[in-house]
Amino acid sequence: MDREWNDSQPIYRQLRDRVVVMILDGVLKEGDALPSVRYVAAEYRVNPLTVLKGYQELVDEQLVESRRGRGMFVNAGARNLLLQGERQRFLAEEWPRVYATIRRLGLKAEELVKAGAIRPAGPASGPASGPASGPASGPASESASGSVFGPDNAGEEPKS
């Protein structure tokens, strides 16, 4: 699997974003352990300090907590906190562009609903299902793609 990183954002931030996507998709639930710093560093061939910095951002945002000698764990309410923030960010940053495109193309609400109904539901439609939706416990929690943090494009917009 390709382990390349997006050059437009620091690697620690991309790691943080992948954990956020896992929490939002229900792959990581409240109380679940995050993969160890050493494991992620080895899996992605990055410096352990880079992983630690990404995890520290999650601690600073009160999404995870560090338990000395035991690892990092998802806090209670982390998903709801993320949903609230992501909804606000979407409405403030992305929706204006989407709305402008809809108006520019002259699309009607019925067309949008119909187009949404004929497309297969993606991970954003609800909690993840399948092998990746079980409890996280290190390497056993890898997604179906074989990677700790799922596909390398996690959190990116779909390409068309």
Side-chain angles (χ1 to χ4, degrees):
M1 175 181 283
D2 188 23
R3 298 274 195 267
E4 291 185 25
W5 300 98
N6 181 344
D7 290 336
S8 68
Q9 197 175 38
I11 292 173
Y12 76 89
R13 185 68 183 184
Q14 293 175 59
L15 285 168
R16 176 242 174 240
D17 291 347
R18 290 180 185 185
V19 173
V20 165
V21 168
M22 291 175 70
I23 294 170
L24 287 171
D25 287 348
V27 175
L28 286 174
K29 297 175 179 28
E30 294 178 2
D32 284 351
L34 272 57
S36 75
V37 169
R38 287 183 185 175
Y39 181 80
V40 173
E43 179 79 8
Y44 284 90
R45 297 187 175 144
V46 296
N47 189 314
L49 293 175
T50 300
V51 179
L52 193 58
K53 187 170 183 178
Y55 279 9
Q56 187 59 49
E57 281 206 348
L58 296 165
V59 170
D60 293 345
E61 296 171 38
Q62 299 179 352
L63 299 173
V64 301
E65 66 179 342
S66 176
R67 297 181 191 163
R68 176 163 265 178
R70 299 189 57 218
M72 301 273 196
F73 295 83
V74 178
N75 279 337
R79 185 172 188 279
N80 289 336
L81 187 62
L82 282 169
L83 279 174
Q84 180 182 2
E86 286 297 305
R87 285 175 179 154
Q88 289 174 349
R89 186 191 63 74
F90 174 80
L91 291 172
E93 296 174 16
E94 294 182 37
W95 177 247
R97 287 189 304 259
V98 171
Y99 183 71
T101 302
I102 290 169
R103 290 197 52 157
R104 184 172 40 256
L105 298 175
L107 294 170
K108 305 269 187 276
E110 300 82 30
E111 293 175 287
L112 295 170
V113 170
K114 183 179 176 184
I118 59 174
R119 291 191 178 182
S125 65
S129 60
S133 64
S137 56
S141 68
E142 293 182 11
S143 69
S145 68
S147 171
V148 173
F149 293 125
D152 284 333
N153 64 351
E156 293 180 6
E157 291 181 4
K159 295 178 177 60
S160 33

